[in-house]
Amino acid sequence: DSGVTQTPKHLITATGQRVTLRCSPRSGDLSVYWYQQSLDQGLQFLIQYYNGEERAKGNILERFSAQQFPDLHSELNLSSLELGDSALYFCASSPRGGLAGDEQYFGPGTRLTVT
Amino acid sequence: AQKVTQAQTEISVVEKEDVTLDCVYETRDTTYYLFWYKQPPSGELVFLIRRNSFDEQNEISGRYSWNFQKSTSSFNFTITASQVVDSAVYFCALSEAWETSGSRLTFGEGTQLTVNP
């Protein structure tokens, strides 16, 4: 158990809908990352927050947005869902400054199925 | 741009065999970090090791060992005397230091290791 929690574990929804994935980092970690794992694209970095501020952005679609709250939990919002958004979404957290070289500890993931 | 290649898609061995998982990376940064993660059938990603680009010393942790060679841009992972519980997908990842305010992991495609009894 990494100490990173993600809810829900599974989510099934229809195309066009909007969902929110939630993540709580390990105690004391200020940095949160979101990744998407799909069969065709592999593991892809989406976005990083550090203490409430966006720090790095990957190939995150405009339909997706994220934020980190004052209590350090983070939410990933996915809207206008398409079949291709079906994937495993991971949240990770890291100690120290959230810079290159920090090891990232991953949560169990949320499996999103869009039908 | 950074890239990580794990050419071995699947490897199957018999228990107690040694197995090496290959990882080749590309980066223009002189300071970077390499990682290995394990993804067992349960799905979570488990951190195994981190190396920085200035430390080419090989590392051993129990049955696991890692060989980092900058000359060939490789960071290979060897499991000695493999066990059924080692069956998982193993990912190699790279993080570059040019991002002064944040970081990201660039993952390889992963290698599915199956250890048969």
Side-chain angles (χ1 to χ4, degrees), chain A residues 2-51:
Chain A
S2 67
V4 178
T5 60
Q6 289 187 247
T7 56
K9 287 197 76 169
H10 302 276
L11 201 47
I12 302 174
T13 189
T15 53
Q17 294 298 304
R18 173 190 168 93
V19 296
T20 297
L21 312 184
R22 183 188 167 106
C23 166
S24 292
R26 297 185 323 156
S27 177
D29 286 357
L30 299 178
S31 204
V32 167
Y33 309 77
W34 288 97
Y35 291 83
Q36 179 195 59
Q37 184 177 31
S38 62
L39 280 174
D40 53 345
Q41 301 225 18
L43 264 166
Q44 299 264 319
F45 167 73
L46 296 178
I47 198 163
Q48 177 201 6
Y49 280 84
Y50 178 79
N51 204 20

Side-chain angles (χ1 to χ4, degrees), chain A residues 1 3 8 14 20 22 25 53 57 60 63 86 90 93 107 109-110:
Chain A
D1 187 345
T20 297
R22 183 188 167 106
E53 292 188 6
K57 205 166 184 175
I60 186 167
R63 301 183 285 108
S86 296
F90 284 109
S93 72
T110 293

Side-chain angles (χ1 to χ4, degrees), chain B residues 18-117:
Chain B
D18 298 348
V19 57
T20 295
L21 310 182
D22 297 333
C23 172
V24 173
Y25 62 91
E26 293 175 33
T27 177
R28 284 180 283 189
D29 214 343
T30 54
T31 302
Y32 52 90
Y33 301 84
L34 295 163
F35 302 78
W36 276 94
Y37 281 84
K38 173 182 180 180
Q39 187 175 36
S42 52
E44 76 275 21
L45 281 160
V46 179
F47 166 75
L48 295 178
I49 190 172
R50 172 196 58 214
R51 301 300 279 176
N52 72 59
S53 53
F54 299 108
D55 184 2
E56 286 192 74
Q57 193 171 13
N58 292 333
E59 180 151 343
I60 298 174
S61 175
R63 296 184 298 107
Y64 295 172
S65 63
W66 291 269
N67 179 254
F68 175 30
Q69 290 196 329
K70 283 177 80 169
S71 60
T72 55
S73 298
S74 65
F75 185 44
N76 297 337
F77 173 29
T78 296
I79 302 175
T80 302
S82 59
Q83 300 176 2
V84 173
V85 293
D86 296 326
S87 296
V89 181
Y90 291 86
F91 290 94
C92 181
L94 167 71
S95 178
E96 295 173 316
W98 65 266
E99 286 191 271
T100 54
S101 62
S103 67
R104 70 190 69 198
L105 290 174
T106 297
F107 285 90
E109 306 89 336
T111 296
Q112 169 72 61
L113 173 65
T114 302
V115 182
N116 298 298

